[in-house]
Amino acid sequence: MSRQRILLLYPNERDMSLVPPVFALFARILKDQGHEVDLFDSTGYDFDGKVNPDVEREKSLFTKPTEPATSKGVKIKLTNMYDDLTSKIDSFGPTLIAMSVTESTFLRGIKLLDHVRYAKKYDILTIVGGVFPTFAPDRVLREGSVDIVCVGEGEKPLVELCEKMSKSDDITNIPGLWVKKRNGDIVKNMPPTPVDIDELPPIDFTIFEDDRFYRPMRGSVYRMLPVETHRGCPYTCTFCNSPAQNKLYKSLTKSSFFRKKSVKKIREELINFQKQWNGEYVFFWADTFLAWSQSELEEFCEMYSDFKFPFWCQSRTETVNGDRGYEKLKILKDVGLHHMSFGMEHGNEEFRSKVIGRHYSNKSAIEALKNPVKLDIPFTINNIIGFPKETRELAMDTIRVNRQIDSFNLSCSTFAPYKGTTLRAMSEQLGFVDPEFIAPANVDWSTLKMPQFTKEEIYGLQRTFVMYCKFPESRWPELKKAEELTPEGDKMWNKMRDEFLDTYFQEPEPAIAKVND
């Protein structure tokens, strides 16, 4: 049986993004099967359409970093990305190129695959997986440089594909894979049952360059690595892909996509994090970190007390409300909770419930978020504007709610209509977006064409959002002027921004001592 050489391809758009655990996991699994694995990571290269982290930071207008990520983190690459990819292929000689993408990185990834197949005329088998291919497999397979699409999780299909390639067996009948035959026909296989995430091996970060592990957090740069605690999410937000994953697996495999990793397994990964990778800060990779029962959380905290690495996590306001929520946060802070993120997303209760699928009151959310304030736990509130059917007045309700929450910082993103989400389907039905549209990375301008809330209005409100949340309402007429995308509006926006930075711009709290100091 011949050993395969798999080149993992990561078409990343964001220099500040954390290393994704999926690539490190695939590397470990494939190496354990006797195959060779390498990685091409586009992070650090300069290319058109790339997200600019400095612009992102300026747009947030809220927290001033005291130490840039580039002081220890991602090194800017001055060479040509496509030339380097060619050199990697020439030196490594892959028998398979495996790319994982989201919708926002898909087009960038296709440019890389097209370069391999058409510019350099390499005849290397390609497979593309991830969230976007799972929900738009037909669209992905329309690309001439794509041979196979993985629908659903990739651990089992990727291993079986390499095994069959090694034996020169038929690869068209592997569960989870849609395979394009030479004559153009497509063989569509059902997804496999979900993997047991407690049985997965320790992940292998050696495929990444060392500078990729450093990331800024509250004014300092840490050696930060991801640790997965949950896969999927039990909630049903209409702008998110996770509910669609749940439906897909329930309908096709009669199984649950949402799974919790055991505390015992998390402990094993933290030991690996500490001893093998010299981690300083844990980024808990979970849509909803507190989707645990009280007993599970207590077991986790007891285990984590042996490590006490500072950590970041994200959750929902419902998980921290009342006295029980306070106690959850208290025991988490005692073992290392350093920063949290919560999604408010929208501030109008009726719109949030009917359109976004989040069913709680503003009063309960505001009360819940007093708990981290009482415990001096800094947190970020994430918001979205530009939802289908939204109006400017509805978006202002989101501002009004944020004004009542004492968050460390907050963000405002423009809604992106991702394939597989309920709101993508709604947007297409209402004629707000073309069915063929692929949502790009870093959506500054709304991609929806809505008569009641125009692209210009959405962008104007987004760029003033944080200032609306902090300036007194007596200044709102000036901010309304600053929303206008005119020379006069830009002049007012610059004036208000400068005042905001002088008055409200937060210096980060002193970072806690690093583990390895």
Side-chain angles (χ1 to χ4, degrees):
M1 187 171 72
S2 62
R3 181 167 57 180
Q4 299 303 306
R5 294 181 301 280
I6 301 96
L7 179 64
L8 301 176
L9 183 57
Y10 181 33
N12 184 37
E13 307 267 358
R14 299 172 182 266
D15 289 352
M16 293 175 67
S17 64
L18 199 68
V19 294
V22 63
F23 287 94
L25 178 59
F26 286 167
R28 177 76 279 143
I29 292 172
L30 292 169
K31 287 179 180 180
D32 286 349
Q33 296 296 315
H35 304 296
E36 295 183 44
V37 182
D38 204 342
L39 170 73
F40 187 83
D41 181 358
S42 70
T43 306
Y45 287 100
D46 185 26
F47 49 80
D48 291 341
K50 182 176 182 177
V51 174
N52 185 329
D54 294 327
V55 172
E56 284 193 299
R57 192 180 299 116
E58 181 178 328
K59 284 192 330 185
S60 72
L61 289 181
F62 211 79
T63 305
K64 181 179 179 180
T66 57
E67 187 177 6
T70 50
S71 67
K72 293 181 180 176
V74 174
K75 294 181 178 64
I76 303 303
K77 293 179 170 62
L78 303 178
T79 52
N80 181 276
M81 179 171 61
Y82 297 98
D83 291 343
D84 286 356
L85 175 58
T86 299
S87 296
K88 174 74 75 172
I89 290 173
D90 288 340
S91 61
F92 181 59
T95 54
L96 176 69
I97 297 177
M99 182 172 74
S100 180
V101 294
T102 61
E103 186 163 349
S104 62
T105 61
F106 171 65
L107 294 178
R108 168 60 47 192
I110 291 300
K111 287 184 178 180
L112 291 167
L113 291 184
D114 284 350
H115 171 77
V116 172
R117 179 148 298 178
Y118 301 122
K120 293 302 178 182
K121 303 190 185 308
Y122 292 107
D123 187 18
I124 304 169
L125 191 70
T126 62
I127 178 171
V128 181
V131 175
F132 181 61
T134 292
F135 295 110
D138 289 297
R139 170 62 186 86
V140 176
L141 279 171
R142 292 212 311 258
E143 299 293 337
S145 56
V146 177
D147 301 315
I148 306 170
V149 161
C150 180
V151 176
E153 292 180 324
E155 289 94 342
K156 292 179 181 179
L158 190 55
V159 167
E160 188 171 351
L161 173 63
C162 292
E163 180 181 356
K164 287 183 176 291
M165 289 174 63
S166 295
K167 297 177 180 178
S168 298
D169 286 348
D170 178 22
I171 64 171
T172 62
N173 59 355
I174 300 173
L177 300 188
W178 287 27
V179 183
K180 187 191 302 177
K181 300 174 73 172
R182 293 286 184 181
N183 63 4
D185 292 343
I186 297 174
V187 180
K188 303 177 181 181
N189 296 291
M190 298 282 282
T193 55
V195 297
D196 183 343
I197 57 177
D198 279 342
E199 295 299 320
L200 295 173
I203 57 182
D204 180 2
F205 288 113
T206 58
I207 59 172
F208 287 97
E209 296 179 359
D210 195 70
D211 63 353
R212 290 284 282 109
F213 303 131
Y214 294 91
R215 178 170 174 165
M217 179 64 73
R218 283 174 50 195
S220 286
V221 176
Y222 295 90
R223 186 175 174 85
M224 186 183 301
L225 286 86
V227 174
E228 183 183 45
T229 60
H230 304 68
R231 188 170 293 191
C233 182
Y235 295 99
T236 57
C237 300
T238 56
F239 60 86
C240 179
N241 297 108
S242 286
Q245 294 271 29
N246 293 336
K247 291 179 182 178
L248 176 72
Y249 272 81
K250 184 177 181 180
S251 63
L252 297 182
T253 70
K254 310 303 179 186
S255 56
S256 174
F257 182 76
F258 173 63
R259 284 147 290 167
K260 305 176 188 179
K261 192 170 287 186
S262 70
V263 172
K264 179 181 178 182
K265 182 63 177 178
I266 296 171
R267 180 183 178 83
E268 291 176 4
E269 296 188 5
L270 288 169
I271 292 173
N272 191 48
F273 170 94
Q274 181 180 43
K275 292 185 176 180
Q276 185 164 358
W277 308 113
N278 299 314
E280 296 176 336
Y281 195 114
V282 180
F283 183 103
F284 279 120
W285 198 277
D287 287 345
T288 307
F289 178 74
L290 288 175
W292 268 325
S293 66
Q294 185 66 25
S295 60
E296 289 169 335
L297 181 63
E298 290 173 357
E299 183 185 3
F300 167 83
C301 290
E302 183 178 356
M303 176 275 294
Y304 201 77
S305 64
D306 293 338
F307 299 94
K308 288 194 173 181
F309 288 109
F311 69 89
W312 173 96
C313 65
Q314 63 182 358
S315 196
R316 292 169 57 112
T317 61
E318 304 99 305
T319 64
V320 298
N321 58 8
D323 293 340
R324 180 172 293 182
Y326 179 90
E327 290 303 319
K328 287 181 184 179
L329 293 174
K330 185 176 185 302
I331 61 175
L332 285 170
K333 183 178 180 181
D334 288 343
V335 296
L337 176 57
H338 184 241
H339 199 100
M340 292 190 74
S341 291
F342 295 96
M344 176 60 67
E345 317 308 356
H346 206 279
N348 183 278
E349 293 177 0
E350 182 178 6
F351 187 88
R352 187 172 62 229
S353 178
K354 290 183 177 180
V355 177
I356 304 176
R358 285 179 169 244
H359 312 288
Y360 52 83
S361 69
N362 287 343
K363 181 179 178 181
S364 66
I366 293 167
E367 286 299 312
L369 292 177
K370 290 179 181 178
N371 279 332
V373 174
K374 292 174 185 175
L375 290 163
D376 195 28
I377 299 171
F379 63 94
T380 299
I381 294 293
N382 298 322
N383 305 277
I384 302 174
I385 63 172
F387 287 105
K389 293 187 175 182
E390 189 180 24
T391 63
R392 182 184 180 280
E393 185 53 37
L394 284 170
M396 290 299 294
D397 285 345
T398 306
I399 288 171
R400 294 184 179 97
V401 167
N402 276 267
R403 289 175 63 84
Q404 300 177 67
I405 300 171
D406 188 17
S407 60
F408 178 76
N409 58 9
L410 54 92
S411 70
C412 177
S413 301
T414 303
F415 168 74
Y418 291 127
K419 285 282 190 182
T421 65
T422 300
L423 290 187
R424 171 59 183 245
M426 176 191 289
S427 299
E428 291 182 8
Q429 291 168 1
L430 293 171
F432 293 161
V433 67
D434 190 287
E436 290 295 312
F437 176 75
I438 296 175
N442 193 33
V443 180
D444 288 331
W445 289 79
S446 174
T447 54
L448 303 186
K449 298 178 181 178
M450 300 189 295
Q452 84 287 351
F453 200 12
T454 67
K455 296 172 184 284
E456 292 77 13
E457 290 174 323
I458 293 168
Y459 182 80
L461 189 57
Q462 184 198 33
R463 76 175 186 172
T464 54
F465 186 92
V466 177
M467 291 189 281
Y468 268 114
C469 292
K470 291 299 175 181
F471 275 117
E473 287 195 41
S474 60
R475 308 295 302 278
W476 282 17
E478 295 168 90
L479 289 173
K480 183 66 171 66
K481 183 67 178 177
E483 290 181 53
E484 298 176 8
L485 307 184
T486 62
E488 294 78 11
D490 291 344
K491 182 178 180 181
M492 179 61 75
W493 184 81
N494 284 310
K495 172 181 175 294
M496 298 295 285
R497 180 197 60 182
D498 291 344
E499 182 180 345
F500 180 89
L501 298 181
D502 290 338
T503 308
Y504 298 101
F505 211 85
Q506 293 192 16
E507 292 286 349
E509 298 177 3
I512 59 180
K514 298 181 184 179
V515 173
N516 293 334
D517 281 356

